[in-house]
PDB file of all heavy atoms in Angstrom:
ATOM      1  N   SER A  22      -9.648-117.551 160.175  1.00  0.00           N
ATOM      2  CA  SER A  22      -8.378-117.318 159.648  1.00  0.00           C
ATOM      3  C   SER A  22      -7.278-118.055 160.340  1.00  0.00           C
ATOM      4  O   SER A  22      -7.193-118.017 161.572  1.00  0.00           O
ATOM      5  CB  SER A  22      -8.181-115.709 159.742  1.00  0.00           C
ATOM      6  OG  SER A  22      -6.846-115.400 159.266  1.00  0.00           O
ATOM      7  N   PRO A  23      -6.331-118.625 159.607  1.00  0.00           N
ATOM      8  CA  PRO A  23      -5.274-119.331 160.207  1.00  0.00           C
ATOM      9  C   PRO A  23      -4.223-118.473 160.941  1.00  0.00           C
ATOM     10  O   PRO A  23      -3.508-118.769 161.760  1.00  0.00           O
ATOM     11  CB  PRO A  23      -4.639-120.045 158.995  1.00  0.00           C
ATOM     12  CG  PRO A  23      -4.991-119.424 157.916  1.00  0.00           C
ATOM     13  CD  PRO A  23      -6.326-118.692 158.162  1.00  0.00           C
ATOM     14  N   VAL A  24      -4.258-117.219 160.490  1.00  0.00           N
ATOM     15  CA  VAL A  24      -3.238-116.105 161.048  1.00  0.00           C
ATOM     16  C   VAL A  24      -4.043-115.101 161.657  1.00  0.00           C
ATOM     17  O   VAL A  24      -5.093-114.660 161.163  1.00  0.00           O
ATOM     18  CB  VAL A  24      -2.236-115.605 159.937  1.00  0.00           C
ATOM     19  CG1 VAL A  24      -1.227-114.641 160.589  1.00  0.00           C
ATOM     20  CG2 VAL A  24      -1.539-116.744 159.257  1.00  0.00           C
ATOM     21  N   ALA A  25      -3.585-114.582 162.789  1.00  0.00           N
ATOM     22  CA  ALA A  25      -4.358-113.489 163.448  1.00  0.00           C
ATOM     23  C   ALA A  25      -4.364-112.213 162.602  1.00  0.00           C
ATOM     24  O   ALA A  25      -3.455-111.933 161.892  1.00  0.00           O
ATOM     25  CB  ALA A  25      -3.722-113.201 164.789  1.00  0.00           C
ATOM     26  N   PHE A  26      -5.538-111.527 162.761  1.00  0.00           N
ATOM     27  CA  PHE A  26      -5.633-110.125 162.105  1.00  0.00           C
ATOM     28  C   PHE A  26      -4.700-109.164 162.834  1.00  0.00           C
ATOM     29  O   PHE A  26      -4.394-109.368 164.075  1.00  0.00           O
ATOM     30  CB  PHE A  26      -7.012-109.665 162.172  1.00  0.00           C
ATOM     31  CG  PHE A  26      -7.880-110.110 161.006  1.00  0.00           C
ATOM     32  CD1 PHE A  26      -8.408-111.402 160.895  1.00  0.00           C
ATOM     33  CD2 PHE A  26      -8.127-109.233 159.973  1.00  0.00           C
ATOM     34  CE1 PHE A  26      -9.116-111.852 159.822  1.00  0.00           C
ATOM     35  CE2 PHE A  26      -8.789-109.634 158.772  1.00  0.00           C
ATOM     36  CZ  PHE A  26      -9.360-110.964 158.768  1.00  0.00           C
ATOM     37  N   PRO A  27      -4.257-108.048 162.120  1.00  0.00           N
ATOM     38  CA  PRO A  27      -3.387-107.109 162.812  1.00  0.00           C
ATOM     39  C   PRO A  27      -3.934-106.524 164.131  1.00  0.00           C
ATOM     40  O   PRO A  27      -3.157-106.321 165.022  1.00  0.00           O
ATOM     41  CB  PRO A  27      -3.133-106.071 161.806  1.00  0.00           C
ATOM     42  CG  PRO A  27      -3.691-106.633 160.436  1.00  0.00           C
ATOM     43  CD  PRO A  27      -4.617-107.722 160.804  1.00  0.00           C
ATOM     44  N   VAL A  74     -13.162-105.144 152.388  1.00  0.00           N
ATOM     45  CA  VAL A  74     -12.338-104.407 153.310  1.00  0.00           C
ATOM     46  C   VAL A  74     -11.495-105.337 154.162  1.00  0.00           C
ATOM     47  O   VAL A  74     -10.320-105.015 154.413  1.00  0.00           O
ATOM     48  CB  VAL A  74     -13.212-103.467 154.149  1.00  0.00           C
ATOM     49  CG1 VAL A  74     -12.467-102.929 155.313  1.00  0.00           C
ATOM     50  CG2 VAL A  74     -13.792-102.309 153.360  1.00  0.00           C
ATOM     51  N   LEU A  75     -12.143-106.443 154.585  1.00  0.00           N
ATOM     52  CA  LEU A  75     -11.367-107.370 155.415  1.00  0.00           C
ATOM     53  C   LEU A  75     -10.169-107.968 154.580  1.00  0.00           C
ATOM     54  O   LEU A  75      -9.141-108.212 155.170  1.00  0.00           O
ATOM     55  CB  LEU A  75     -12.207-108.453 155.932  1.00  0.00           C
ATOM     56  CG  LEU A  75     -13.219-107.992 157.054  1.00  0.00           C
ATOM     57  CD1 LEU A  75     -14.237-109.057 157.200  1.00  0.00           C
ATOM     58  CD2 LEU A  75     -12.392-107.803 158.328  1.00  0.00           C
ATOM     59  N   ALA A  76     -10.426-108.303 153.319  1.00  0.00           N
ATOM     60  CA  ALA A  76      -9.315-108.870 152.509  1.00  0.00           C
ATOM     61  C   ALA A  76      -8.225-107.801 152.277  1.00  0.00           C
ATOM     62  O   ALA A  76      -7.093-108.171 152.275  1.00  0.00           O
ATOM     63  CB  ALA A  76      -9.855-109.247 151.156  1.00  0.00           C
ATOM     64  N   ALA A  77      -8.613-106.495 152.137  1.00  0.00           N
ATOM     65  CA  ALA A  77      -7.602-105.469 152.093  1.00  0.00           C
ATOM     66  C   ALA A  77      -6.783-105.322 153.326  1.00  0.00           C
ATOM     67  O   ALA A  77      -5.469-105.158 153.288  1.00  0.00           O
ATOM     68  CB  ALA A  77      -8.228-104.172 151.724  1.00  0.00           C
ATOM     69  N   VAL A  78      -7.398-105.428 154.395  1.00  0.00           N
ATOM     70  CA  VAL A  78      -6.759-105.329 155.781  1.00  0.00           C
ATOM     71  C   VAL A  78      -5.817-106.526 155.879  1.00  0.00           C
ATOM     72  O   VAL A  78      -4.673-106.436 156.308  1.00  0.00           O
ATOM     73  CB  VAL A  78      -7.722-105.272 156.936  1.00  0.00           C
ATOM     74  CG1 VAL A  78      -6.994-105.503 158.232  1.00  0.00           C
ATOM     75  CG2 VAL A  78      -8.487-103.940 156.912  1.00  0.00           C
ATOM     76  N   ARG A  79      -6.273-107.652 155.528  1.00  0.00           N
ATOM     77  CA  ARG A  79      -5.445-108.871 155.559  1.00  0.00           C
ATOM     78  C   ARG A  79      -4.314-108.888 154.630  1.00  0.00           C
ATOM     79  O   ARG A  79      -3.167-109.275 155.056  1.00  0.00           O
ATOM     80  CB  ARG A  79      -6.418-110.094 155.262  1.00  0.00           C
ATOM     81  CG  ARG A  79      -5.814-111.353 155.452  1.00  0.00           C
ATOM     82  CD  ARG A  79      -6.182-111.796 156.920  1.00  0.00           C
ATOM     83  NE  ARG A  79      -5.720-113.201 156.880  1.00  0.00           N
ATOM     84  CZ  ARG A  79      -4.528-113.572 157.464  1.00  0.00           C
ATOM     85  NH1 ARG A  79      -3.813-112.619 158.090  1.00  0.00           N
ATOM     86  NH2 ARG A  79      -4.206-114.842 157.531  1.00  0.00           N
ATOM     87  N   SER A  80      -4.438-108.333 153.451  1.00  0.00           N
ATOM     88  CA  SER A  80      -3.286-108.292 152.510  1.00  0.00           C
ATOM     89  C   SER A  80      -2.323-107.220 152.910  1.00  0.00           C
ATOM     90  O   SER A  80      -1.165-107.232 152.693  1.00  0.00           O
ATOM     91  CB  SER A  80      -3.712-108.073 151.142  1.00  0.00           C
ATOM     92  OG  SER A  80      -4.417-106.821 150.952  1.00  0.00           O
ATOM     93  N   ALA A  81      -2.817-106.082 153.553  1.00  0.00           N
ATOM     94  CA  ALA A  81      -1.964-105.068 154.046  1.00  0.00           C
ATOM     95  C   ALA A  81      -1.035-105.575 155.220  1.00  0.00           C
ATOM     96  O   ALA A  81       0.055-105.047 155.402  1.00  0.00           O
ATOM     97  CB  ALA A  81      -2.722-103.861 154.379  1.00  0.00           C
ATOM     98  N   GLN A  82      -1.542-106.511 155.831  1.00  0.00           N
ATOM     99  CA  GLN A  82      -0.720-107.124 156.994  1.00  0.00           C
ATOM    100  C   GLN A  82       0.616-107.640 156.569  1.00  0.00           C
ATOM    101  O   GLN A  82       1.621-107.547 157.228  1.00  0.00           O
ATOM    102  CB  GLN A  82      -1.522-108.189 157.753  1.00  0.00           C
ATOM    103  CG  GLN A  82      -0.840-108.838 158.871  1.00  0.00           C
ATOM    104  CD  GLN A  82      -1.594-109.887 159.466  1.00  0.00           C
ATOM    105  OE1 GLN A  82      -2.692-110.225 159.130  1.00  0.00           O
ATOM    106  NE2 GLN A  82      -1.077-110.563 160.583  1.00  0.00           N
ATOM    107  N   PHE A  83       0.553-108.218 155.337  1.00  0.00           N
ATOM    108  CA  PHE A  83       1.731-108.910 154.841  1.00  0.00           C
ATOM    109  C   PHE A  83       2.532-108.012 153.751  1.00  0.00           C
ATOM    110  O   PHE A  83       3.385-108.530 153.117  1.00  0.00           O
ATOM    111  CB  PHE A  83       1.402-110.241 154.083  1.00  0.00           C
ATOM    112  CG  PHE A  83       0.698-111.133 155.167  1.00  0.00           C
ATOM    113  CD1 PHE A  83      -0.539-111.470 155.014  1.00  0.00           C
ATOM    114  CD2 PHE A  83       1.542-111.665 156.138  1.00  0.00           C
ATOM    115  CE1 PHE A  83      -1.093-112.347 156.010  1.00  0.00           C
ATOM    116  CE2 PHE A  83       0.978-112.613 157.104  1.00  0.00           C
ATOM    117  CZ  PHE A  83      -0.315-112.878 156.986  1.00  0.00           C
ATOM    118  N   ALA A  84       2.196-106.777 153.608  1.00  0.00           N
ATOM    119  CA  ALA A  84       2.741-105.909 152.744  1.00  0.00           C
ATOM    120  C   ALA A  84       4.250-105.666 153.093  1.00  0.00           C
ATOM    121  O   ALA A  84       4.517-105.506 154.415  1.00  0.00           O
ATOM    122  CB  ALA A  84       2.002-104.590 152.590  1.00  0.00           C
TER     123      ALA A  84
END
Side-chain angles (χ1 to χ4, degrees):
S22 178
V24 180
F26 271 78
V74 168
L75 286 166
V78 168
R79 186 90 172 100
S80 67
Q82 178 182 3
F83 298 111

